[in-house]
Amino acid sequence: MYLRRKLFALIIALFTLLPLFSGCSGEDPNAPRKTELLVYVTPEGLCALSGEETVLLAKGKYIHSPHISPDGRYVYYNNSSDIFVVPISAGATPTLAAADAEFSGFCGDRLLSCSASGGVRAYDPETGVSESMFADQEEGFVSSVVLSPDEKKLAVCVRQIDVGIDRPRGIYIRYNDTADMDVFTSENICTDPTLLT
């Protein structure tokens, strides 16, 4: 009986200490962050402060507008007009998430961005895949997008250049679960295309 208790205590001690020796923390690396995080831009680049540790995430002079992902694992930022993503860890490599684009929020854990040349896209940092959510229209370009709180609809503002004048073309409502779309333009609201929507 004495030997059995000692053996049991030894096995418990080994399982308790094993993560320390193997370098495993027992935490899921894909789980959301549980610690506070501050992300900021310095003359050197993009930095993150977690607890008392400061990490330089990305170097660059033209970095601006950082955004932390909803799960707290990634930081999106603009470098000039492009959006990059970098995991929050020392030595991580930034990845291009959206070229010549503006940050429009998050669709789940994916970056939602829009651009005049690429429409509306959702970028998944886990797979590196960017999905087209709304393509450019033949008669205009996307200037902004808003996602509904339930993430089931996109409201997209489309603009056009008409004889050198930049004017709204209309609002397009895209439903994420169907191919249906509602279009609100000055033409279909009041039959006068010269009015602004």
Side-chain angles (χ1 to χ4, degrees), residues 150-162:
D150 62 3
E151 297 186 355
K152 293 184 178 180
K153 294 179 283 233
L154 289 171
V156 181
C157 179
V158 176
R159 302 184 68 85
Q160 67 183 19
I161 305 293
D162 184 20

Side-chain angles (χ1 to χ4, degrees), residues 128-140:
V129 174
S130 185
E131 176 190 356
S132 177
M133 303 290 282
F134 184 90
D136 283 342
Q137 302 299 298
E138 289 180 15
E139 300 175 3

Side-chain angles (χ1 to χ4, degrees), residues 36-111:
E36 293 183 6
L37 177 70
L38 172 67
V39 176
Y40 56 97
V41 178
T42 69
E44 289 89 37
L46 179 70
C47 294
L49 177 64
S50 180
E52 299 199 12
E53 182 184 0
T54 300
V55 177
L56 179 64
L57 297 175
K59 293 181 180 180
K61 290 188 205 178
Y62 305 105
I63 292 176
H64 60 94
S65 306
H67 298 278
I68 300 170
S69 65
D71 61 8
R73 296 175 45 225
Y74 298 93
V75 177
Y76 292 90
Y77 63 93
N78 278 79
N79 191 347
S80 295
S81 63
D82 298 330
I83 300 176
F84 287 83
V85 62
V86 64
I88 299 172
S89 59
T93 304
T95 303
L96 179 65
D100 193 25
E102 293 180 23
F103 176 84
S104 298
F106 292 100
C107 182
D109 286 330
R110 299 183 302 168
L111 164 76

